[in-house]
Amino acid sequence: MTQLDHQVHYVGPEITGSRIFKLIAFLYGISAYLVFFVTVLYAIGFVTGLVVPKTIDTGTDTPTVEAVIINLLLMTLFAVQHSVMARQQFKAWWTQFVPKPVERSTYVLFASLSLLLLFWQWRPLPAVIWNVENPDLAVTLVTLSFAGWVLVFTSTYLINHFELFGLHQVTNHLIGKETPPPRFKTPLLYNFVRHPIYLGFIIAFWAAPTMTAGHLLFAAVTTLYIFVGIALEEHDLVALFGDEYRQYKQRVSMLIPWRRSL
C-alpha cells in the first residue's frame, strides 16, 4: 500500500449503513432532484423565451466576440462536467469519497448547478438569423419545440426516470433494499431510435420561429455535444452489455427512425 493510499479516506459501510446517514442521503437525493426539476423547467423557458425572467435572448449586452467566448466556456463547463462524471472510471474513483447511494444524486446536482450558471451568465447575441412571420407556421414551430421536451420527459420515464435522476438509489438505500444490477431493455420509443432523449433535445433546441445568433450558437454546440455524448455513452454501454448492445445498434437507428445509419 502506498503513502497515497494511507492519505485517502474511503467511505466505508459503517458510515453508509447507519440510520442517520440513510435518512440524510434520502433527503439529499430529494433535494438534488428538486433542484434538477426546477432547472429543467427553467431550461424550457430559457430556450423558448417564455415566462422566465432571463432567456437565451436577454441579458447583459456584451461585445460579440466576448459574448461568444463566455457562452462557449459556459457550455464547455457543462459538457466536461456532464461527460466526465458519467464515465465509469471517474465513478470508480469518485465513489471512494462520495458514498455510492448518493453518487447519482450528486452527479444530477452538479449538472443542474452548471446549467443554472449557464442560464445566469449567458450573453445574448441578438442578431436574427431567421424569423418566421407566418403565424400558423410560428405556432407550429413552438408546438414542435414543446413536443421535443415532452419526448425528453417521456423517454426518461420509459427507462426509469427516478433511477436516472438518483431517487431510486437513495430510496432503496433508505429501506435497506439492494439496487438491482443494470438490465438492458428497449421499451417503446427505444425500438425506433436508440436515443430518444437526445432526439427530443435536438427538436426542442432547433424548432424556433425566431432564431437569433445566440440561440443558433446554443443549438449548434449542444447538438455537437450530443453526438460526442452518444459516442461516449455507447462505448460504455458496449462495455457493459457486450453483444446485446452491438446487435441493438445494428437493428435500431441512432436518432432518425427511418435511417439505420444515424
Side-chain angles (χ1 to χ4, degrees), residues 189-196 199 248 252-257:
L189 297 173
Y190 289 84
N191 289 306
F192 298 95
V193 292
R194 301 198 302 273
H195 301 280
L199 176 59
Y248 176 61
V252 179
S253 62
M254 182 191 293
L255 291 171
I256 304 176

Side-chain angles (χ1 to χ4, degrees), residues 140-161:
T140 299
L141 287 171
V142 172
T143 302
L144 185 60
S145 179
F146 280 109
W149 289 108
V150 170
L151 177 59
V152 169
F153 279 104
T154 302
S155 301
T156 65
Y157 280 101
L158 289 174
I159 58 171
N160 195 336
H161 174 90

Side-chain angles (χ1 to χ4, degrees), residues 112-149:
S112 300
L113 293 177
S114 63
L115 272 180
L116 290 173
L117 176 64
L118 185 149
F119 301 152
W120 175 38
Q121 290 298 321
W122 181 265
R123 301 299 196 267
L125 294 163
V128 176
I129 306 302
W130 74 67
N131 181 47
V132 176
E133 296 183 355
N134 183 299
D136 292 334
L137 183 54
V139 170
T140 299
L141 287 171
V142 172
T143 302
L144 185 60
S145 179
F146 280 109
W149 289 108

Side-chain angles (χ1 to χ4, degrees), residues 73-83 111-112 114-115 118 225:
L73 287 174
L74 289 167
M75 288 188 284
T76 300
L77 175 64
F78 171 76
V80 171
Q81 177 275 321
H82 197 260
S83 293
S112 300
S114 63
L115 272 180
L118 185 149
Y225 168 63

Side-chain angles (χ1 to χ4, degrees), residues 36-57 115-116 118-119 142-154 200-201 203-205 207-208 215 218:
F36 150 77
F37 192 75
V38 170
T39 302
V40 170
L41 290 180
Y42 198 99
I44 297 172
F46 180 79
V47 172
T48 59
L50 299 173
V51 181
V52 298
K54 186 177 186 300
T55 72
I56 202 167
D57 294 322
L115 272 180
L116 290 173
L118 185 149
F119 301 152
V142 172
T143 302
L144 185 60
S145 179
F146 280 109
W149 289 108
V150 170
L151 177 59
V152 169
F153 279 104
T154 302
F201 280 126
I203 293 170
F205 295 159
H215 193 150
F218 180 85

Side-chain angles (χ1 to χ4, degrees), residues 25-26 30 101 162 166-177:
F26 178 73
I30 293 289
F162 298 109
L167 285 180
H168 192 69
Q169 292 87 327
V170 294
T171 301
N172 280 348
H173 186 61
L174 178 67
I175 63 177
K177 180 181 178 182

